[in-house]
Amino acid sequence: MDKIVLSRMEFYGYHGVYPEENQLGQRFYVDVELFLPLRQAGTTDQLEYTVNYAEVYATVKEQVEGRKFQLIEALAESIASEVLQTYTSINEITVRVIKPHPPFNIVFDGVTVEINRKRD
């Protein structure tokens, strides 16, 4: 299956279990891989045979910046669900949500949740 990848989209959101995360917010990065047939778009050079990735970006932004979740797993699930519901040409999606600076007393370079969902 062909795919379109939107990498390292950067947003500011208020997701987390700790009250400080919900009040102060933090930066999140999101990657999405959109699986859909692209041959017709490639041979015709017409936008109608693909998805407008600017619109997909806006859909992801709405989920990250317009909602609050305790878990980035729930955020990833919401992104996947909304994209599949909105863009019927997409057969499958992989979503990665990266929280680069989780508020823990340990040192590591962020945490990433990755999910893959297919159209029913």
Side-chain angles (χ1 to χ4, degrees), residues 15 19 27 34 37 42 46-49 54 56-57 59 62 76 84 91 96-97 101 105 107-108 115 117:
H15 313 290
R27 191 165 320 284
L34 311 171
Q46 298 297 309
L47 181 60
E48 66 192 80
Y49 299 115
V56 174
Y57 173 91
T59 300
E62 180 181 318
L84 286 174
N91 299 316
R96 275 179 224 88
V97 176
H101 304 291
N105 234 357
V107 178
F108 62 95
I115 65 168
R117 298 293 177 262

Short mmCIF file of all heavy atoms in Angstrom, two decimals, residues 15 19 27 34 37 42 46-49 54 56-57 59 62 76 84 91 96-97 101 105 107-108 115 117:
data_model
loop_
_atom_site.label_atom_id
_atom_site.label_comp_id
_atom_site.label_asym_id
_atom_site.label_seq_id
_atom_site.Cartn_x
_atom_site.Cartn_y
_atom_site.Cartn_z
N HIS A 15 -1.97 17.82 27.91
CA HIS A 15 -2.27 16.42 28.15
C HIS A 15 -1.35 15.88 29.25
O HIS A 15 -0.17 16.18 29.27
CB HIS A 15 -2.07 15.60 26.88
CG HIS A 15 -2.72 16.22 25.69
ND1 HIS A 15 -4.09 16.27 25.55
CD2 HIS A 15 -2.19 16.86 24.61
CE1 HIS A 15 -4.38 16.90 24.42
NE2 HIS A 15 -3.24 17.27 23.84
N PRO A 19 -1.50 17.54 37.47
CA PRO A 19 -2.18 18.84 37.33
C PRO A 19 -1.33 19.89 36.62
O PRO A 19 -1.86 20.70 35.86
CB PRO A 19 -2.47 19.26 38.78
CG PRO A 19 -2.45 17.99 39.56
CD PRO A 19 -1.50 17.07 38.86
N ARG A 27 5.00 20.88 24.88
CA ARG A 27 5.14 20.60 23.46
C ARG A 27 4.93 19.11 23.20
O ARG A 27 5.36 18.27 23.98
CB ARG A 27 6.53 21.02 23.01
CG ARG A 27 6.76 21.05 21.55
CD ARG A 27 8.02 21.81 21.18
NE ARG A 27 8.25 23.02 21.96
CZ ARG A 27 7.61 24.18 21.82
NH1 ARG A 27 6.65 24.29 20.93
NH2 ARG A 27 7.90 25.22 22.55
N LEU A 34 -0.19 7.70 6.52
CA LEU A 34 -1.51 7.51 5.93
C LEU A 34 -1.38 6.53 4.78
O LEU A 34 -0.66 6.80 3.80
CB LEU A 34 -2.05 8.84 5.42
CG LEU A 34 -1.98 10.02 6.40
CD1 LEU A 34 -2.33 11.32 5.69
CD2 LEU A 34 -2.86 9.78 7.59
N PRO A 37 -4.26 4.33 -1.68
CA PRO A 37 -3.76 4.18 -3.04
C PRO A 37 -3.41 5.55 -3.64
O PRO A 37 -4.22 6.46 -3.60
CB PRO A 37 -4.91 3.51 -3.79
CG PRO A 37 -6.13 3.76 -2.97
CD PRO A 37 -5.68 3.98 -1.55
N GLY A 42 -0.69 10.04 -8.70
CA GLY A 42 0.63 10.15 -9.33
C GLY A 42 0.56 10.22 -10.85
O GLY A 42 1.38 10.91 -11.48
N GLN A 46 -3.56 15.14 -9.95
CA GLN A 46 -4.77 15.80 -9.48
C GLN A 46 -4.97 15.54 -7.98
O GLN A 46 -4.96 14.39 -7.54
CB GLN A 46 -5.99 15.28 -10.25
CG GLN A 46 -5.95 15.57 -11.73
CD GLN A 46 -5.96 17.06 -12.03
OE1 GLN A 46 -6.80 17.80 -11.52
NE2 GLN A 46 -5.02 17.50 -12.84
N LEU A 47 -5.19 16.60 -7.23
CA LEU A 47 -5.38 16.52 -5.78
C LEU A 47 -6.58 15.66 -5.39
O LEU A 47 -6.57 15.01 -4.35
CB LEU A 47 -5.54 17.93 -5.21
CG LEU A 47 -5.73 18.06 -3.70
CD1 LEU A 47 -4.55 17.47 -2.94
CD2 LEU A 47 -5.95 19.51 -3.31
N GLU A 48 -7.59 15.61 -6.23
CA GLU A 48 -8.81 14.86 -5.89
C GLU A 48 -8.56 13.36 -5.71
O GLU A 48 -9.40 12.65 -5.14
CB GLU A 48 -9.88 15.09 -6.95
CG GLU A 48 -9.51 14.51 -8.31
CD GLU A 48 -10.43 14.99 -9.41
OE1 GLU A 48 -10.23 16.13 -9.89
OE2 GLU A 48 -11.33 14.22 -9.79
N TYR A 49 -7.41 12.86 -6.14
CA TYR A 49 -7.11 11.43 -6.03
C TYR A 49 -6.16 11.10 -4.87
O TYR A 49 -5.59 10.01 -4.81
CB TYR A 49 -6.54 10.90 -7.34
CG TYR A 49 -7.51 11.05 -8.48
CD1 TYR A 49 -7.23 11.89 -9.54
CD2 TYR A 49 -8.73 10.36 -8.47
CE1 TYR A 49 -8.14 12.05 -10.58
CE2 TYR A 49 -9.64 10.51 -9.50
CZ TYR A 49 -9.34 11.36 -10.54
OH TYR A 49 -10.24 11.51 -11.57
N ALA A 54 -2.42 19.32 4.15
CA ALA A 54 -2.66 20.51 4.97
C ALA A 54 -3.95 20.35 5.78
O ALA A 54 -4.03 20.77 6.94
CB ALA A 54 -2.73 21.76 4.10
N VAL A 56 -5.20 17.36 6.67
CA VAL A 56 -4.90 16.33 7.67
C VAL A 56 -4.17 16.98 8.84
O VAL A 56 -4.48 16.71 10.01
CB VAL A 56 -4.08 15.18 7.07
CG1 VAL A 56 -3.65 14.20 8.16
CG2 VAL A 56 -4.87 14.46 5.98
N TYR A 57 -3.21 17.85 8.55
CA TYR A 57 -2.49 18.58 9.60
C TYR A 57 -3.49 19.33 10.50
O TYR A 57 -3.40 19.27 11.73
CB TYR A 57 -1.50 19.56 8.98
CG TYR A 57 -0.83 20.47 9.99
CD1 TYR A 57 0.37 20.10 10.58
CD2 TYR A 57 -1.40 21.68 10.35
CE1 TYR A 57 0.99 20.92 11.52
CE2 TYR A 57 -0.80 22.50 11.29
CZ TYR A 57 0.40 22.13 11.86
OH TYR A 57 0.99 22.94 12.80
N THR A 59 -6.60 18.67 11.04
CA THR A 59 -7.36 17.69 11.82
C THR A 59 -6.56 17.23 13.03
O THR A 59 -7.09 17.15 14.14
CB THR A 59 -7.74 16.48 10.94
OG1 THR A 59 -8.55 16.95 9.85
CG2 THR A 59 -8.50 15.43 11.73
N GLU A 62 -6.28 20.04 15.64
CA GLU A 62 -7.52 20.19 16.40
C GLU A 62 -7.58 19.19 17.56
O GLU A 62 -8.01 19.52 18.66
CB GLU A 62 -8.71 20.00 15.47
CG GLU A 62 -10.05 20.13 16.14
CD GLU A 62 -11.19 19.89 15.16
OE1 GLU A 62 -11.11 20.37 14.02
OE2 GLU A 62 -12.16 19.22 15.56
N ALA A 76 -3.51 9.63 20.82
CA ALA A 76 -3.20 8.92 19.57
C ALA A 76 -4.45 8.24 19.01
O ALA A 76 -4.71 8.30 17.80
CB ALA A 76 -2.09 7.88 19.82
N LEU A 84 -9.42 8.72 10.20
CA LEU A 84 -10.10 7.67 9.44
C LEU A 84 -11.56 8.02 9.16
O LEU A 84 -12.10 7.71 8.10
CB LEU A 84 -10.02 6.33 10.18
CG LEU A 84 -8.66 5.64 10.14
CD1 LEU A 84 -8.67 4.40 11.03
CD2 LEU A 84 -8.24 5.28 8.72
N ASN A 91 -7.06 4.01 4.15
CA ASN A 91 -7.40 2.65 4.58
C ASN A 91 -6.81 2.29 5.94
O ASN A 91 -7.34 1.44 6.64
CB ASN A 91 -6.92 1.63 3.56
CG ASN A 91 -7.57 1.84 2.21
OD1 ASN A 91 -8.77 2.07 2.13
ND2 ASN A 91 -6.79 1.78 1.16
N ARG A 96 2.07 8.33 15.75
CA ARG A 96 3.07 8.40 16.81
C ARG A 96 2.91 9.72 17.54
O ARG A 96 2.97 10.78 16.92
CB ARG A 96 4.48 8.34 16.23
CG ARG A 96 4.99 6.98 15.99
CD ARG A 96 6.40 6.98 15.37
NE ARG A 96 6.42 6.00 14.31
CZ ARG A 96 6.08 6.22 13.05
NH1 ARG A 96 5.75 7.41 12.63
NH2 ARG A 96 6.10 5.25 12.18
N VAL A 97 2.70 9.66 18.85
CA VAL A 97 2.65 10.87 19.68
C VAL A 97 3.89 10.84 20.56
O VAL A 97 4.13 9.87 21.28
CB VAL A 97 1.37 10.92 20.54
CG1 VAL A 97 1.41 12.13 21.46
CG2 VAL A 97 0.13 10.95 19.66
N HIS A 101 9.41 15.83 26.85
CA HIS A 101 9.92 16.14 28.19
C HIS A 101 8.89 15.79 29.25
O HIS A 101 8.32 16.69 29.88
CB HIS A 101 10.31 17.61 28.29
CG HIS A 101 11.29 18.02 27.24
ND1 HIS A 101 12.59 17.58 27.23
CD2 HIS A 101 11.15 18.81 26.15
CE1 HIS A 101 13.21 18.09 26.18
NE2 HIS A 101 12.36 18.83 25.50
N ASN A 105 11.09 12.39 37.41
CA ASN A 105 12.37 12.61 38.07
C ASN A 105 13.43 11.64 37.55
O ASN A 105 14.31 11.21 38.29
CB ASN A 105 12.21 12.43 39.59
CG ASN A 105 12.71 13.64 40.34
OD1 ASN A 105 13.23 14.56 39.74
ND2 ASN A 105 12.55 13.62 41.64
N VAL A 107 15.82 10.74 33.78
CA VAL A 107 16.32 11.41 32.59
C VAL A 107 16.23 10.45 31.40
O VAL A 107 16.80 9.36 31.42
CB VAL A 107 17.77 11.87 32.78
CG1 VAL A 107 18.30 12.51 31.50
CG2 VAL A 107 17.87 12.84 33.94
N PHE A 108 15.45 10.82 30.41
CA PHE A 108 15.42 10.14 29.13
C PHE A 108 14.87 11.10 28.10
O PHE A 108 14.33 12.15 28.45
CB PHE A 108 14.65 8.81 29.18
CG PHE A 108 13.19 8.92 29.54
CD1 PHE A 108 12.22 8.99 28.55
CD2 PHE A 108 12.79 8.93 30.86
CE1 PHE A 108 10.87 9.07 28.88
CE2 PHE A 108 11.45 9.01 31.19
CZ PHE A 108 10.49 9.08 30.20
N ILE A 115 0.48 3.78 17.54
CA ILE A 115 -0.65 2.88 17.30
C ILE A 115 -0.88 2.76 15.79
O ILE A 115 -0.52 3.65 15.02
CB ILE A 115 -1.94 3.35 17.99
CG1 ILE A 115 -2.45 4.67 17.42
CG2 ILE A 115 -1.76 3.45 19.51
CD1 ILE A 115 -3.85 5.05 17.85
N ARG A 117 -4.10 1.68 13.15
CA ARG A 117 -5.52 1.36 13.04
C ARG A 117 -5.89 1.22 11.56
O ARG A 117 -5.41 1.97 10.71
CB ARG A 117 -6.38 2.46 13.66
CG ARG A 117 -6.15 2.67 15.14
CD ARG A 117 -6.59 1.47 15.96
NE ARG A 117 -6.31 1.64 17.37
CZ ARG A 117 -5.24 1.14 18.00
NH1 ARG A 117 -4.35 0.43 17.32
NH2 ARG A 117 -5.08 1.33 19.29
#
